[in-house]
Amino acid sequence: MIETNRPAAAPADDEPDLLRDQFRQLLRYRRLIGAGIGVGLLGGVYLGISTADTYVATADVVLRAPTDDPFNPSLAPDKAINIGSERQVALSSSIANEAAKKLGVSAKDFAALRSGLQVTNPPQTMVLRFTYTADSPKEAAKRANAMTEAYLLKRQESLDATRDKMVKGYKEQRDPIAKQLDETSKEIARMPAGAGRDAASSAKTDLQSEVGGYNTKITKLEALDMTPGRVTSAATAPTATDGPGILMSLALGAAVGLALGLLAAWVRLVFDPAPRSEGDVARALRAPVLGYLPRDRTGGGPLLAAGEADPRLAEEYRSVAFRLAYDSRFADRRRLLVVAPRGSSETAAAVAVNMAASFAETGKDVLLIEADLRTPVLASQLPTDAGGRPRWSQGQGGAPASGRHADSEWPDGRQLVVDAGESGSFDLIPGDRARNVPRALTSARATRLISEADAPNSTVVVLAPPVLSYADALALVDRVDGVLVVCDPRAIHRTDLIRIRELISGAGGTVLGAVLHAPLPGEKRGKGKDKGGPAAAGAAAPAKPGKAAPQPQPIPYEVAEPEQHIPGDGTDTVALRTVRMGRR
């Protein structure tokens, strides 16, 4: 036989699914992405406007080193010229001063003249590219050519000055030797033949050789071709502006803004502690997400969803109940604990009530236990009628005890019947304020009450306070078969969900799944505070010394049609669709 009831397990991590999930999470930060696109568009508009009247002219200059044989292939120009240094010289103030004199630029406009020039060097070339940016095409070309000519003139002057200095130095070294050579020649002419004249002739030969060497160097320097370079491409007036245009600027700005927005959204997502998807919740709890309640459009929201104008909520509850019914961990004994992480238990109460109604609709005997003994309000918010007492509250011989149970501690024997309209009805054990909540929840009577699910075709749903606010839920974990966590994923951290799983597992329980919901109306995001209505206020009001604790005030509700009940016969019920819940 094929097993149909299989445990609901957390989905395995699939990398493509994780990537798709993360991309969907990024789209949640639409404001950041929109702000990035807006900033990019503003930048594109600024770029388009600022470059609308900008013109660029370019002139190219090929540098060459001084040489006596320009066709000698052994001379490498890149060894004789440092192109980086030449680029810095072209950008220097001396070149700008020379160009300013030629252009007639005043001193106050000198800084603007320099700022418009840009000199670059194409890789693997001896070319300097002079690029000038101006407000008019003619001015851009004129200033680019002026800068080029000024640079070549300064380079020519620098090379000539270097050669003249070297020639002067050689001459200064040669002149004393030439003078000494003249004196030696005169002495030789007066000396008679002999050994002395021969020695003087030998010295004269050495001096002549030395003078000849200096003359050769000087001649070689004076014969050098000192041309600094040539203009290969003179600047001409551009016919179009340098900017990309307003349309292209907007497109570029939008693309850059989108990239910035996605980056900001990704950074926000990385540092956001809240789970941003059902996958995050499932991974933190190691249990599946059984349902996501649609946003309530009525403002207050019904406690019982069946029969409402919008059927999506009721169908979502039925879907959650169906998935639980086919979970083998719950189907065996059918004991369900419903809790919220922290803050308000309003949605958790609605889930517990509607789970009871959904199970009752399938024909099961359902008992809803309100184990929230701190703010019990279900009895005042649900259409109830007095019903039979639980088995453990029967008196001796099977006769029911009269009035409340002899012991005032909860549970006291009260059992109400809730009319769920078309879904049927289920029993409710209302909560009551107890002096010692842990003792009441762990008492033998509470244990026997939860064990009602052991009867055939029975189901017990227990509503407990928030698990991270009180330890009440943990005291009940070992008595149920599974826990259903009800939370708003935007109002809780992933670490809180992990802690809930660890606490429930440590207490011997199992998380069956989670039901997610949107923020409650009027509740700020990330805040789990109660903003209670009359019911919550009445339930939470402290009792003054010597006075009885005030009873919770019932929420006003509409009365059903006359044909549905007979007033005054003790069986008055309220139609399921008319009940409205208050704030817890």
Side-chain angles (χ1 to χ4, degrees):
M1 179 177 180
I2 300 176
E3 177 66 32
T4 58
N5 294 339
R6 296 181 179 177
D13 291 343
D14 186 12
E15 187 168 348
D17 290 340
L18 292 177
L19 292 176
R20 286 191 292 269
D21 184 47
Q22 189 177 40
F23 183 74
R24 286 194 296 267
Q25 293 176 39
L26 288 178
L27 296 181
R28 292 178 179 267
Y29 300 101
R30 297 182 181 90
R31 293 184 179 179
L32 281 177
I33 297 176
I37 295 176
V39 172
L41 290 176
L42 290 177
V45 171
Y46 174 77
L47 178 63
I49 295 176
S50 61
T51 58
D53 55 352
T54 301
Y55 297 87
V56 176
T58 303
D60 291 340
V61 176
V62 176
L63 303 182
R64 55 187 307 275
T67 178
D68 57 351
D69 185 2
F71 302 103
N72 185 4
S74 63
L75 180 62
D78 57 339
K79 301 297 183 182
I81 299 176
N82 189 329
I83 195 66
S85 299
E86 293 298 330
R87 177 178 174 275
Q88 295 300 322
V89 171
L91 292 170
S92 65
S93 59
S94 61
I95 304 299
N97 282 328
E98 189 67 25
K101 293 177 183 179
K102 184 176 181 179
L103 295 171
V105 177
S106 60
K108 64 178 181 180
D109 296 330
F110 178 74
L113 176 65
R114 289 192 63 186
S115 63
L117 178 64
Q118 183 179 6
V119 180
T120 58
N121 168 235
Q124 306 298 326
T125 65
M126 298 300 295
V127 176
L128 287 182
R129 179 163 295 165
F130 289 76
T131 304
Y132 200 91
T133 304
D135 296 336
S136 66
K138 293 183 178 180
E139 190 69 18
K142 181 179 179 182
R143 293 193 173 190
N145 290 325
M147 287 289 186
T148 303
E149 294 173 2
Y151 168 72
L152 290 177
L153 178 61
K154 282 293 183 180
R155 178 171 168 77
Q156 180 71 61
E157 292 177 355
S158 176
L159 293 176
D160 290 343
T162 301
R163 182 185 61 179
D164 293 343
K165 185 176 181 180
M166 294 183 66
V167 170
K168 182 180 178 182
Y170 285 138
K171 287 181 178 181
E172 289 176 352
Q173 297 178 43
R174 182 200 62 182
D175 289 345
I177 299 174
K179 184 179 180 181
Q180 186 180 356
L181 177 62
D182 293 340
E183 292 177 353
T184 303
S185 296
K186 292 177 181 180
E187 290 179 1
I188 292 174
R190 292 193 300 266
M191 293 177 64
R197 185 171 181 171
D198 293 339
S201 298
S202 178
K204 177 183 177 181
T205 302
D206 294 339
L207 292 174
Q208 287 176 341
S209 176
E210 191 171 355
V211 170
Y214 281 114
N215 288 333
T216 301
K217 293 179 180 179
I218 293 173
T219 302
K220 187 176 181 179
L221 286 174
E222 290 176 346
L224 288 177
D225 181 5
M226 304 300 292
T227 304
R230 69 179 187 275
V231 178
T232 59
S233 177
T236 58
T239 58
T241 59
D242 180 60
I246 188 66
L247 295 180
M248 183 60 70
S249 298
L250 289 176
L252 292 176
V256 174
L258 178 61
L260 291 177
L262 290 176
L263 177 61
W266 180 79
V267 173
R268 179 70 177 86
L269 177 65
V270 169
F271 292 98
D272 190 359
R276 281 300 184 176
S277 68
E278 297 181 7
D280 281 353
V281 176
R283 284 187 290 271
L285 291 177
R286 294 182 184 174
V289 174
L290 301 178
Y292 202 123
L293 303 182
R295 185 181 297 273
D296 176 48
R297 300 178 180 177
T298 61
L303 189 59
L304 280 167
E308 288 297 316
D310 187 1
R312 295 181 305 157
L313 189 59
E315 291 302 325
E316 188 66 28
Y317 284 125
R318 292 188 181 98
S319 176
V320 174
F322 180 81
R323 296 187 66 179
L324 282 175
Y326 278 84
D327 189 339
S328 61
R329 295 171 296 180
F330 174 75
D332 293 339
R333 295 194 300 171
R334 302 171 302 282
R335 297 172 183 172
L336 180 66
L337 178 65
V338 181
V339 293
R342 56 160 51 93
S344 173
S345 294
E346 179 178 348
T347 307
V351 171
V353 171
N354 284 278
M355 286 295 99
S358 298
F359 289 132
E361 191 174 6
T362 62
K364 295 184 180 297
D365 297 331
V366 182
L367 176 63
L368 173 60
I369 301 175
E370 185 181 16
D372 188 352
L373 307 184
R374 303 179 188 274
T375 56
V377 292
L378 287 186
S380 62
Q381 296 184 18
L382 291 174
T384 58
D385 185 20
R389 299 178 183 276
R391 299 187 185 94
W392 49 264
S393 63
Q394 301 285 338
Q396 294 292 336
S402 61
R404 291 173 62 90
H405 196 276
D407 192 344
S408 60
E409 288 292 336
W410 182 90
D412 55 5
R414 289 185 303 160
Q415 182 168 327
L416 306 177
V417 177
V418 178
D419 180 10
E422 297 177 355
S423 298
S425 63
F426 58 88
D427 295 335
L428 169 66
I429 302 297
D432 197 4
R433 292 182 176 274
R435 290 174 296 179
N436 193 324
V437 174
R439 179 178 298 175
L441 294 176
T442 57
S443 64
R445 288 177 295 171
T447 302
R448 291 196 299 271
L449 185 62
I450 297 176
S451 66
E452 290 286 326
D454 294 337
N457 201 37
S458 298
T459 300
V460 172
V461 180
V462 183
L463 173 64
V467 66
L468 295 181
S469 300
Y470 306 99
D472 301 356
L474 300 179
L476 300 168
V477 165
D478 60 342
R479 293 169 174 79
V480 297
D481 301 292
V483 180
L484 184 64
V485 180
V486 182
C487 65
D488 174 13
R490 301 190 181 187
I492 190 171
H493 294 175
R494 288 186 293 269
T495 55
D496 293 337
L497 295 176
I498 295 175
R499 183 184 174 197
I500 289 174
R501 171 177 54 80
E502 293 174 348
L503 289 174
I504 293 175
S505 300
T510 302
V511 179
L512 296 179
V515 174
L516 308 183
H517 63 88
L520 298 176
E523 183 179 273
K524 293 183 179 180
R525 177 182 172 181
K527 301 292 183 181
K529 299 179 181 179
D530 299 338
K531 301 181 184 282
K544 295 182 179 180
K547 295 184 179 181
Q551 296 296 324
Q553 298 296 325
I555 297 297
Y557 50 80
E558 302 173 7
V559 180
E561 289 77 1
E563 62 272 16
Q564 291 179 324
H565 70 284
I566 301 176
D569 65 348
T571 62
D572 294 353
T573 59
V574 180
L576 185 62
R577 64 178 60 88
T578 61
V579 181
R580 299 282 174 176
M581 70 176 177
R583 298 283 185 182
R584 289 177 65 82

